Amino acid sequence: MFRICARTGGLRALHGAASRGFGTKAAAPSRLRNVVWATSVAVLGGLGYVYVTDTRAGVHKYVATPLIRLLDPEDAHNLSIWCLKHGLGPVDRTDDADVLNIELWGKQMANPIGLAAGFDKNGEAIDGLFNLGFGAVEVGSITPHEQAGNPRPRLFRVDESRAVINRMGLNNDGAQVCGDRIKSRFWRMLAAQSRRQGETVASLAAGVNRSARADRLLGVNVSKSKASAPESYSDYVDGLNELGAYADYVVINVSCPNVKNIRAGADVAVLESTIAAVVRARNQMPDYRPPIVLKIGPDNDHDQRRLIAQLAVDYRVDGIIATNTTLSRPRDMADPNEVGLQTGGLSGEPLRNMALETTRDMYRLTKGRIPIIGCGGISTAEDALQFAKAGASMVQIYSSMTYDGPGKVCEIKDGLIDLLKGRKWSDIVGEDAAKS
Protein backbone atom coordinates (compact mmCIF):
# COMPACT_ATOMS: atom_id res chain seq x y z
CA MET A 1 0.00 0.00 0.00
CA PHE A 2 2.74 2.48 1.02
CA ARG A 3 4.83 1.37 -1.98
CA ILE A 4 1.85 1.94 -4.30
CA CYS A 5 1.29 5.40 -2.80
CA ALA A 6 4.96 6.19 -3.02
CA ARG A 7 5.05 5.06 -6.63
CA THR A 8 1.96 7.10 -7.40
CA GLY A 9 3.38 10.19 -5.67
CA GLY A 10 6.63 9.80 -7.56
CA LEU A 11 4.83 9.63 -10.89
CA ARG A 12 2.89 12.78 -10.04
CA ALA A 13 6.11 14.59 -9.09
CA LEU A 14 7.73 13.41 -12.29
CA HIS A 15 4.76 14.59 -14.33
CA GLY A 16 4.84 17.99 -12.59
CA ALA A 17 8.52 18.41 -13.30
CA ALA A 18 8.01 17.48 -16.93
CA SER A 19 5.18 19.99 -17.24
CA ARG A 20 7.33 22.72 -15.76
CA GLY A 21 10.11 21.88 -18.15
CA PHE A 22 7.82 22.04 -21.18
CA GLY A 23 6.40 25.37 -19.89
CA THR A 24 9.89 26.88 -19.70
CA LYS A 25 10.65 25.85 -23.26
CA ALA A 26 7.38 27.38 -24.48
CA ALA A 27 7.96 30.64 -22.63
CA ALA A 28 11.42 31.25 -24.10
CA PRO A 29 10.25 32.08 -27.66
CA SER A 30 7.59 34.37 -26.19
CA ARG A 31 10.16 36.35 -24.21
CA LEU A 32 12.41 36.56 -27.25
CA ARG A 33 9.54 37.96 -29.33
CA ASN A 34 8.89 40.61 -26.67
CA VAL A 35 12.53 41.63 -26.65
CA VAL A 36 12.59 41.86 -30.46
CA TRP A 37 9.39 43.91 -30.52
CA ALA A 38 10.60 46.25 -27.79
CA THR A 39 13.95 46.74 -29.52
CA SER A 40 12.26 47.38 -32.87
CA VAL A 41 9.89 49.92 -31.37
CA ALA A 42 12.78 51.68 -29.61
CA VAL A 43 14.91 51.80 -32.79
CA LEU A 44 12.05 52.94 -35.00
CA GLY A 45 10.99 55.49 -32.40
CA GLY A 46 14.52 56.82 -32.18
CA LEU A 47 14.84 57.05 -35.95
CA GLY A 48 11.44 58.73 -36.13
CA TYR A 49 12.49 61.25 -33.50
CA VAL A 50 15.73 62.02 -35.34
CA TYR A 51 13.79 62.49 -38.60
CA VAL A 52 10.99 64.64 -37.22
CA THR A 53 13.40 66.88 -35.29
CA ASP A 54 15.67 67.45 -38.30
CA THR A 55 15.17 70.75 -40.13
CA ARG A 56 15.69 69.03 -43.48
CA ALA A 57 12.82 66.57 -42.94
CA GLY A 58 10.11 67.00 -45.57
CA VAL A 59 7.39 66.64 -42.96
CA HIS A 60 7.91 70.25 -41.90
CA LYS A 61 7.47 71.70 -45.39
CA TYR A 62 4.79 69.39 -46.72
CA VAL A 63 2.76 68.51 -43.63
CA ALA A 64 3.32 70.72 -40.58
CA THR A 65 3.54 74.09 -42.34
CA PRO A 66 0.40 73.65 -44.51
CA LEU A 67 -1.49 72.59 -41.38
CA ILE A 68 -0.30 75.63 -39.43
CA ARG A 69 -1.32 77.88 -42.31
CA LEU A 70 -4.92 76.77 -41.77
CA LEU A 71 -4.85 78.97 -38.68
CA ASP A 72 -5.29 82.72 -38.58
CA PRO A 73 -1.91 84.20 -39.65
CA GLU A 74 -1.17 85.82 -36.30
CA ASP A 75 -2.28 82.74 -34.34
CA ALA A 76 -0.05 80.60 -36.56
CA HIS A 77 2.86 82.95 -35.90
CA ASN A 78 2.30 82.87 -32.14
CA LEU A 79 2.13 79.06 -32.20
CA SER A 80 5.45 78.92 -34.05
CA ILE A 81 7.09 81.17 -31.45
CA TRP A 82 5.66 79.06 -28.62
CA CYS A 83 7.00 75.83 -30.12
CA LEU A 84 10.47 77.28 -30.70
CA LYS A 85 10.52 78.85 -27.24
CA HIS A 86 9.79 75.49 -25.59
CA GLY A 87 12.30 73.47 -27.59
CA LEU A 88 9.73 71.87 -29.91
CA GLY A 89 11.30 73.10 -33.13
CA PRO A 90 13.56 71.04 -35.42
CA VAL A 91 17.35 71.25 -35.34
CA ASP A 92 20.04 71.62 -37.99
CA ARG A 93 22.51 68.85 -37.12
CA THR A 94 24.86 69.44 -40.06
CA ASP A 95 27.98 71.58 -39.74
CA ASP A 96 28.05 74.48 -42.19
CA ALA A 97 30.39 74.14 -45.15
CA ASP A 98 33.55 76.27 -45.11
CA VAL A 99 32.44 78.08 -48.28
CA LEU A 100 29.59 79.64 -46.26
CA ASN A 101 31.78 80.92 -43.41
CA ILE A 102 32.08 84.71 -43.29
CA GLU A 103 33.51 87.43 -41.07
CA LEU A 104 31.38 90.44 -40.21
CA TRP A 105 32.46 93.28 -37.90
CA GLY A 106 35.45 91.21 -36.85
CA LYS A 107 33.25 88.28 -35.78
CA GLN A 108 33.08 84.85 -37.36
CA MET A 109 29.78 83.54 -38.70
CA ALA A 110 29.08 79.97 -39.71
CA ASN A 111 26.92 81.09 -42.62
CA PRO A 112 25.54 84.32 -44.12
CA ILE A 113 21.83 83.53 -43.72
CA GLY A 114 20.10 85.56 -41.02
CA LEU A 115 16.58 85.86 -39.69
CA ALA A 116 15.02 89.30 -40.18
CA ALA A 117 13.47 91.26 -37.35
CA GLY A 118 9.74 90.89 -36.82
CA PHE A 119 9.60 87.15 -36.31
CA ASP A 120 10.74 87.07 -32.68
CA LYS A 121 9.69 90.52 -31.57
CA ASN A 122 10.39 89.95 -27.88
CA GLY A 123 13.49 87.75 -27.85
CA GLU A 124 11.57 84.72 -26.59
CA ALA A 125 12.80 82.00 -28.95
CA ILE A 126 16.41 82.94 -29.69
CA ASP A 127 17.93 79.49 -29.22
CA GLY A 128 15.11 77.70 -30.99
CA LEU A 129 15.78 79.94 -33.98
CA PHE A 130 19.54 79.46 -33.89
CA ASN A 131 18.90 75.72 -33.83
CA LEU A 132 17.20 76.00 -37.24
CA GLY A 133 20.63 76.84 -38.69
CA PHE A 134 20.71 80.63 -38.93
CA GLY A 135 24.06 82.41 -38.88
CA ALA A 136 22.38 85.41 -37.27
CA VAL A 137 19.08 86.02 -35.51
CA GLU A 138 17.68 89.53 -35.21
CA VAL A 139 15.01 90.15 -32.57
CA GLY A 140 12.63 93.10 -32.32
CA SER A 141 11.70 95.69 -33.23
CA ILE A 142 11.76 96.78 -29.57
CA THR A 143 10.55 100.16 -28.32
CA PRO A 144 11.37 101.82 -24.97
CA HIS A 145 7.92 101.03 -23.62
CA GLU A 146 5.49 98.16 -24.11
CA GLN A 147 3.13 98.57 -27.05
CA ALA A 148 0.00 96.62 -27.99
CA GLY A 149 0.29 97.55 -31.65
CA ASN A 150 -2.59 98.01 -34.03
CA PRO A 151 -5.97 96.25 -33.67
CA ARG A 152 -6.41 92.78 -35.15
CA PRO A 153 -6.62 91.57 -37.85
CA ARG A 154 -3.24 93.02 -38.74
CA LEU A 155 -1.41 90.18 -40.52
CA PHE A 156 -2.43 88.78 -43.91
CA ARG A 157 -1.11 86.24 -46.41
CA VAL A 158 -1.16 86.71 -50.17
CA ASP A 159 -0.78 83.03 -51.00
CA GLU A 160 -0.76 83.41 -54.79
CA SER A 161 2.30 85.65 -54.56
CA ARG A 162 3.89 84.02 -51.52
CA ALA A 163 3.71 87.39 -49.82
CA VAL A 164 2.72 88.77 -46.43
CA ILE A 165 1.11 92.09 -45.50
CA ASN A 166 1.40 93.33 -41.95
CA ARG A 167 0.32 96.37 -40.02
CA MET A 168 1.34 95.04 -36.64
CA GLY A 169 2.32 98.49 -35.34
CA LEU A 170 5.50 97.50 -33.50
CA ASN A 171 3.78 95.43 -30.81
CA ASN A 172 6.36 94.31 -28.24
CA ASP A 173 7.00 93.91 -24.51
CA GLY A 174 9.20 97.00 -24.22
CA ALA A 175 12.94 97.45 -23.75
CA GLN A 176 13.13 96.63 -20.06
CA VAL A 177 11.23 93.32 -20.27
CA CYS A 178 12.92 92.26 -23.49
CA GLY A 179 16.28 93.41 -22.15
CA ASP A 180 15.89 91.37 -18.97
CA ARG A 181 14.96 88.35 -21.06
CA ILE A 182 17.97 88.71 -23.36
CA LYS A 183 20.38 89.37 -20.47
CA SER A 184 19.07 86.41 -18.49
CA ARG A 185 19.56 84.11 -21.46
CA PHE A 186 23.11 85.39 -22.02
CA TRP A 187 24.27 84.76 -18.44
CA ARG A 188 22.43 81.44 -18.28
CA MET A 189 24.20 80.26 -21.43
CA LEU A 190 27.57 81.40 -20.06
CA ALA A 191 26.96 79.66 -16.74
CA ALA A 192 26.29 76.40 -18.61
CA GLN A 193 29.46 76.84 -20.68
CA SER A 194 31.42 77.59 -17.50
CA ARG A 195 30.35 74.29 -15.95
CA ARG A 196 31.25 72.36 -19.10
CA GLN A 197 34.59 74.03 -19.79
CA GLY A 198 35.78 74.73 -16.26
CA GLU A 199 36.30 78.45 -16.96
CA THR A 200 34.89 81.33 -15.00
CA VAL A 201 31.84 83.15 -16.32
CA ALA A 202 33.78 86.42 -16.26
CA SER A 203 36.54 85.06 -18.51
CA LEU A 204 33.99 83.63 -20.95
CA ALA A 205 32.03 86.89 -21.07
CA ALA A 206 35.12 88.81 -22.15
CA GLY A 207 35.53 86.90 -25.39
CA VAL A 208 32.19 85.39 -26.36
CA ASN A 209 29.69 86.73 -28.87
CA ARG A 210 26.57 88.28 -27.38
CA SER A 211 24.68 85.40 -28.96
CA ALA A 212 26.65 83.20 -26.51
CA ARG A 213 27.50 81.05 -29.55
CA ALA A 214 30.94 81.02 -31.10
CA ASP A 215 29.93 81.47 -34.74
CA ARG A 216 26.47 83.08 -34.55
CA LEU A 217 25.41 86.69 -34.12
CA LEU A 218 22.47 88.12 -32.21
CA GLY A 219 21.06 91.37 -33.55
CA VAL A 220 18.65 93.63 -31.66
CA ASN A 221 16.38 95.93 -33.65
CA VAL A 222 15.23 99.09 -31.83
CA SER A 223 12.58 101.60 -32.80
CA LYS A 224 10.39 104.45 -31.57
CA SER A 225 7.30 104.36 -29.40
CA LYS A 226 4.16 105.53 -31.15
CA ALA A 227 3.74 108.37 -28.65
CA SER A 228 7.14 109.93 -29.38
CA ALA A 229 7.55 113.08 -31.44
CA PRO A 230 8.34 112.48 -35.14
CA GLU A 231 11.65 114.36 -35.01
CA SER A 232 12.77 112.77 -31.73
CA TYR A 233 15.71 110.35 -31.64
CA SER A 234 15.80 109.71 -27.88
CA ASP A 235 13.93 106.39 -28.18
CA TYR A 236 16.73 104.97 -30.34
CA VAL A 237 19.34 106.11 -27.84
CA ASP A 238 17.33 104.66 -24.95
CA GLY A 239 16.98 101.36 -26.80
CA LEU A 240 20.70 101.25 -27.46
CA ASN A 241 21.55 101.97 -23.83
CA GLU A 242 19.12 99.33 -22.56
CA LEU A 243 19.90 96.56 -25.04
CA GLY A 244 23.19 97.31 -26.75
CA ALA A 245 25.47 95.58 -24.26
CA TYR A 246 23.86 92.24 -25.10
CA ALA A 247 23.70 92.56 -28.90
CA ASP A 248 26.29 91.59 -31.50
CA TYR A 249 24.83 94.44 -33.53
CA VAL A 250 22.07 97.00 -32.98
CA VAL A 251 19.69 97.93 -35.78
CA ILE A 252 18.16 101.41 -35.92
CA ASN A 253 14.76 100.92 -37.53
CA VAL A 254 14.06 104.21 -39.29
CA SER A 255 11.80 102.76 -41.96
CA CYS A 256 8.83 100.94 -40.43
CA PRO A 257 5.87 101.86 -42.67
CA ASN A 258 3.27 101.00 -40.03
CA VAL A 259 4.13 103.75 -37.55
CA LYS A 260 3.35 107.34 -38.58
CA ASN A 261 5.87 109.11 -36.34
CA ILE A 262 8.97 107.47 -37.83
CA ARG A 263 10.15 110.25 -40.12
CA ALA A 264 13.87 109.53 -40.19
CA GLY A 265 13.49 107.27 -43.20
CA ALA A 266 11.96 110.05 -45.28
CA ASP A 267 13.34 113.26 -43.76
CA VAL A 268 17.09 113.66 -44.27
CA ALA A 269 17.48 116.20 -41.44
CA VAL A 270 15.76 113.89 -38.96
CA LEU A 271 17.78 110.94 -40.26
CA GLU A 272 21.07 112.78 -39.79
CA SER A 273 20.25 113.86 -36.24
CA THR A 274 19.15 110.30 -35.43
CA ILE A 275 22.30 108.68 -36.81
CA ALA A 276 24.54 111.25 -35.13
CA ALA A 277 22.87 110.78 -31.73
CA VAL A 278 22.94 106.98 -31.85
CA VAL A 279 26.57 106.75 -32.99
CA ARG A 280 27.58 109.29 -30.34
CA ALA A 281 25.75 107.29 -27.64
CA ARG A 282 27.40 104.07 -28.82
CA ASN A 283 30.84 105.66 -28.71
CA GLN A 284 30.21 106.73 -25.12
CA MET A 285 29.36 103.21 -23.92
CA PRO A 286 31.91 102.31 -21.24
CA ASP A 287 32.94 98.82 -22.26
CA TYR A 288 31.43 96.89 -25.11
CA ARG A 289 30.36 98.96 -28.15
CA PRO A 290 28.13 97.14 -30.65
CA PRO A 291 28.10 97.85 -34.39
CA ILE A 292 25.30 100.21 -35.46
CA VAL A 293 23.23 99.13 -38.47
CA LEU A 294 20.70 101.29 -40.30
CA LYS A 295 17.54 99.66 -41.71
CA ILE A 296 16.15 101.54 -44.70
CA GLY A 297 13.02 101.16 -46.81
CA PRO A 298 12.72 100.11 -50.47
CA ASP A 299 10.75 103.13 -51.65
CA ASN A 300 13.57 105.71 -51.68
CA ASP A 301 14.61 107.05 -55.08
CA HIS A 302 18.24 107.19 -56.18
CA ASP A 303 18.85 110.69 -54.83
CA GLN A 304 17.49 109.73 -51.41
CA ARG A 305 19.66 106.63 -51.37
CA ARG A 306 22.69 108.74 -52.28
CA LEU A 307 22.05 111.02 -49.29
CA ILE A 308 21.52 108.04 -46.96
CA ALA A 309 24.75 106.45 -48.19
CA GLN A 310 26.67 109.68 -47.64
CA LEU A 311 25.36 110.01 -44.09
CA ALA A 312 26.22 106.39 -43.37
CA VAL A 313 29.78 106.91 -44.57
CA ASP A 314 30.22 110.27 -42.86
CA TYR A 315 29.03 109.02 -39.47
CA ARG A 316 30.76 105.63 -39.83
CA VAL A 317 27.66 103.53 -39.58
CA ASP A 318 28.68 99.87 -39.46
CA GLY A 319 26.05 98.39 -41.76
CA ILE A 320 22.88 98.96 -43.79
CA ILE A 321 19.92 96.60 -44.09
CA ALA A 322 18.22 96.87 -47.46
CA THR A 323 15.29 96.72 -47.02
CA ASN A 324 12.21 96.97 -44.82
CA THR A 325 8.69 96.26 -46.13
CA THR A 326 6.97 98.47 -48.72
CA LEU A 327 3.60 100.23 -48.79
CA SER A 328 3.56 99.91 -52.58
CA ARG A 329 1.96 97.01 -54.45
CA PRO A 330 3.87 95.81 -57.54
CA ARG A 331 1.62 95.61 -60.59
CA ASP A 332 2.61 92.04 -61.39
CA MET A 333 1.68 90.76 -57.91
CA ALA A 334 -0.82 87.92 -58.23
CA ASP A 335 -3.68 88.76 -55.88
CA PRO A 336 -7.06 87.41 -57.06
CA ASN A 337 -8.60 87.87 -53.61
CA GLU A 338 -7.44 91.50 -53.38
CA VAL A 339 -5.64 90.99 -50.09
CA GLY A 340 -3.29 93.72 -51.26
CA LEU A 341 -5.97 96.28 -50.58
CA GLN A 342 -5.22 95.83 -46.89
CA THR A 343 -3.14 98.61 -45.39
CA GLY A 344 0.34 97.59 -44.28
CA GLY A 345 3.86 96.74 -45.31
CA LEU A 346 4.31 94.14 -48.03
CA SER A 347 7.04 91.51 -47.74
CA GLY A 348 7.80 88.29 -49.56
CA GLU A 349 8.57 87.52 -53.18
CA PRO A 350 6.97 90.67 -54.73
CA LEU A 351 9.47 92.76 -52.76
CA ARG A 352 12.54 90.96 -54.08
CA ASN A 353 13.37 93.14 -57.09
CA MET A 354 12.97 96.37 -55.11
CA ALA A 355 15.19 95.06 -52.31
CA LEU A 356 17.77 93.73 -54.77
CA GLU A 357 17.96 97.08 -56.58
CA THR A 358 18.36 98.92 -53.28
CA THR A 359 21.08 96.50 -52.16
CA ARG A 360 23.02 97.00 -55.39
CA ASP A 361 22.59 100.78 -55.25
CA MET A 362 23.71 101.09 -51.64
CA TYR A 363 26.76 98.91 -52.27
CA ARG A 364 27.82 101.12 -55.19
CA LEU A 365 27.05 104.39 -53.39
CA THR A 366 29.08 103.37 -50.34
CA LYS A 367 31.77 101.90 -52.63
CA GLY A 368 31.70 98.66 -50.67
CA ARG A 369 33.00 100.34 -47.52
CA ILE A 370 29.94 99.46 -45.42
CA PRO A 371 28.53 95.93 -45.15
CA ILE A 372 25.11 95.68 -46.79
CA ILE A 373 22.57 93.15 -45.49
CA GLY A 374 20.12 92.12 -48.19
CA CYS A 375 16.55 91.57 -47.03
CA GLY A 376 13.32 91.25 -48.97
CA GLY A 377 11.77 88.42 -50.97
CA ILE A 378 14.66 85.97 -50.61
CA SER A 379 13.25 82.45 -50.82
CA THR A 380 15.81 80.39 -52.76
CA ALA A 381 19.56 79.84 -52.92
CA GLU A 382 19.51 81.57 -56.31
CA ASP A 383 17.94 84.65 -54.71
CA ALA A 384 20.57 84.71 -51.97
CA LEU A 385 23.36 84.39 -54.53
CA GLN A 386 21.94 87.31 -56.53
CA PHE A 387 21.94 89.50 -53.44
CA ALA A 388 25.53 88.53 -52.63
CA LYS A 389 26.68 89.42 -56.13
CA ALA A 390 24.79 92.70 -55.82
CA GLY A 391 26.80 93.52 -52.70
CA ALA A 392 25.16 91.82 -49.70
CA SER A 393 27.64 90.60 -47.11
CA MET A 394 24.75 88.77 -45.46
CA VAL A 395 21.10 88.17 -46.28
CA GLN A 396 17.99 87.82 -44.14
CA ILE A 397 14.81 85.82 -44.66
CA TYR A 398 11.43 85.71 -42.96
CA SER A 399 8.31 85.54 -45.16
CA SER A 400 9.54 82.49 -47.09
CA MET A 401 9.39 80.51 -43.83
CA THR A 402 5.66 81.25 -43.73
CA TYR A 403 5.24 79.17 -46.87
CA ASP A 404 8.06 76.62 -46.69
CA GLY A 405 8.53 76.13 -42.96
CA PRO A 406 11.52 76.02 -40.60
CA GLY A 407 13.71 74.07 -43.01
CA LYS A 408 13.98 77.03 -45.39
CA VAL A 409 17.34 78.23 -44.04
CA CYS A 410 18.94 74.80 -44.55
CA GLU A 411 17.38 74.52 -48.00
CA ILE A 412 19.04 77.80 -48.97
CA LYS A 413 22.38 76.83 -47.43
CA ASP A 414 22.42 73.46 -49.20
CA GLY A 415 21.56 75.12 -52.50
CA LEU A 416 24.29 77.71 -52.07
CA ILE A 417 26.95 75.05 -51.63
CA ASP A 418 26.05 73.70 -55.06
CA LEU A 419 25.81 77.13 -56.69
CA LEU A 420 29.10 78.41 -55.29
CA LYS A 421 30.96 75.47 -56.88
CA GLY A 422 33.84 75.64 -54.45
CA ARG A 423 34.06 79.43 -54.28
CA LYS A 424 33.45 81.21 -50.97
CA TRP A 425 30.49 83.45 -50.32
CA SER A 426 32.82 86.27 -49.29
CA ASP A 427 34.57 86.07 -52.67
CA ILE A 428 31.45 86.88 -54.68
CA VAL A 429 30.10 89.80 -52.61
CA GLY A 430 29.64 92.76 -54.96
CA GLU A 431 30.79 90.81 -58.00
CA ASP A 432 28.00 92.02 -60.30
CA ALA A 433 27.91 95.54 -58.88
CA ALA A 434 31.62 95.95 -59.58
CA LYS A 435 31.16 94.97 -63.25
CA SER A 436 28.61 97.64 -64.10
Side-chain angles (χ1 to χ4, degrees):
M1 175 82 180
F2 288 110
R3 281 198 299 270
I4 294 172
C5 289
R7 191 179 296 123
T8 303
L11 289 170
R12 286 176 180 164
L14 196 62
H15 175 72
S19 298
R20 286 192 297 274
F22 289 133
T24 301
K25 290 179 181 178
S30 178
R31 282 198 298 272
L32 181 60
R33 279 196 302 273
N34 290 340
V35 170
V36 170
W37 272 106
T39 303
S40 300
V41 168
V43 170
L44 290 174
L47 292 174
Y49 172 81
V50 170
Y51 172 76
V52 169
T53 58
D54 192 310
T55 52
R56 290 173 172 81
V59 67
H60 303 298
K61 181 175 182 178
Y62 299 109
V63 179
T65 300
L67 287 174
I68 290 175
R69 283 213 315 272
L70 296 175
L71 299 174
D72 166 83
E74 190 166 347
D75 291 339
H77 178 89
N78 292 339
L79 175 61
S80 299
I81 289 292
W82 187 90
C83 289
L84 291 164
K85 176 181 177 179
H86 292 90
L88 299 178
V91 178
D92 178 14
R93 297 189 177 91
T94 304
D95 291 337
D96 288 322
D98 290 345
V99 295
L100 298 180
N101 299 166
I102 65 169
E103 181 180 310
L104 198 56
W105 305 305
K107 300 181 179 184
Q108 299 299 316
M109 287 177 61
N111 68 78
I113 314 300
L115 176 69
F119 188 90
D120 187 3
K121 294 176 178 294
N122 297 307
E124 298 178 272
I126 294 170
D127 291 301
L129 290 164
F130 274 127
N131 288 342
L132 299 182
F134 286 106
V137 169
E138 187 177 314
V139 300
S141 203
I142 300 171
T143 56
H145 306 290
E146 179 183 3
Q147 292 190 158
N150 294 321
R152 295 180 65 167
R154 53 192 181 179
L155 186 62
F156 310 89
R157 304 187 196 101
V158 189
D159 292 337
E160 294 78 10
S161 293
R162 290 171 57 88
V164 174
I165 294 172
N166 92 83
R167 54 169 179 263
M168 302 297 288
L170 296 179
N171 55 306
N172 70 99
D173 292 340
Q176 182 174 347
V177 172
C178 293
D180 289 344
R181 189 178 289 133
I182 293 168
K183 294 172 195 174
S184 175
R185 172 197 168 270
F186 177 76
W187 293 114
R188 187 173 63 250
M189 293 281 287
L190 259 60
Q193 291 181 30
S194 174
R195 288 192 295 270
R196 287 195 304 268
Q197 301 174 18
E199 297 182 51
T200 65
V201 171
S203 64
L204 287 171
V208 74
N209 290 340
R210 267 33 189 183
S211 67
R213 296 186 179 225
D215 52 3
R216 316 278 161 162
L217 302 187
L218 175 64
V220 176
N221 185 303
V222 299
S223 195
K224 294 176 65 169
S225 296
K226 293 176 75 171
S228 299
E231 67 279 1
S232 170
Y233 51 73
S234 61
D235 283 358
Y236 295 111
V237 173
D238 292 344
L240 171 67
N241 289 333
E242 182 71 37
L243 301 159
Y246 294 91
D248 288 303
Y249 64 96
V250 173
V251 179
I252 307 304
N253 182 5
V254 297
S255 54
C256 177
N258 297 313
V259 181
K260 294 180 180 179
N261 68 333
I262 295 183
R263 286 181 50 194
D267 188 315
V268 174
V270 175
L271 178 61
E272 181 170 12
S273 62
T274 299
I275 293 174
V278 172
V279 171
R280 183 169 58 249
R282 188 277 308 274
N283 292 342
Q284 291 172 353
M285 293 176 71
D287 299 310
Y288 173 72
R289 296 174 180 175
I292 300 298
V293 179
L294 192 67
K295 186 164 187 176
I296 65 174
D299 300 311
N300 299 302
D301 60 29
H302 181 76
D303 288 338
Q304 290 172 319
R305 292 174 194 162
R306 181 175 53 79
L307 289 170
I308 293 169
Q310 190 61 53
L311 288 174
V313 171
D314 289 347
Y315 286 95
R316 298 185 180 182
V317 169
D318 300 288
I320 298 172
I321 297 179
T323 65
N324 213 320
T325 59
T326 178
L327 289 175
S328 68
R329 301 292 183 262
R331 293 181 203 172
D332 59 351
M333 183 176 82
D335 185 20
N337 297 316
E338 298 186 334
V339 181
L341 295 177
Q342 294 288 345
T343 302
L346 174 73
S347 61
E349 293 186 5
L351 178 61
R352 179 174 54 233
N353 290 339
M354 297 174 71
L356 182 62
E357 179 188 352
T358 304
T359 296
R360 184 180 293 110
D361 222 11
M362 297 308 294
Y363 181 83
R364 289 172 179 160
L365 289 167
T366 59
K367 299 178 181 178
R369 289 177 287 180
I370 297 175
I372 309 297
I373 299 173
C375 179
I378 297 169
S379 61
T380 66
E382 288 79 7
D383 293 339
L385 194 70
Q386 267 193 307
F387 273 78
K389 289 183 176 181
S393 298
M394 180 177 99
V395 296
Q396 293 179 328
I397 66 171
Y398 176 178
S399 297
S400 58
M401 291 174 62
T402 300
Y403 292 96
D404 294 330
K408 173 53 69 174
V409 59
C410 286
E411 180 184 311
I412 291 175
K413 290 193 297 182
D414 293 345
L416 280 173
I417 294 170
D418 294 332
L419 292 173
L420 287 169
K421 298 178 180 178
R423 299 179 70 191
K424 292 186 176 182
W425 170 280
S426 54
D427 293 336
I428 66 167
V429 172
E431 188 175 78
D432 287 352
K435 292 177 183 176
S436 53

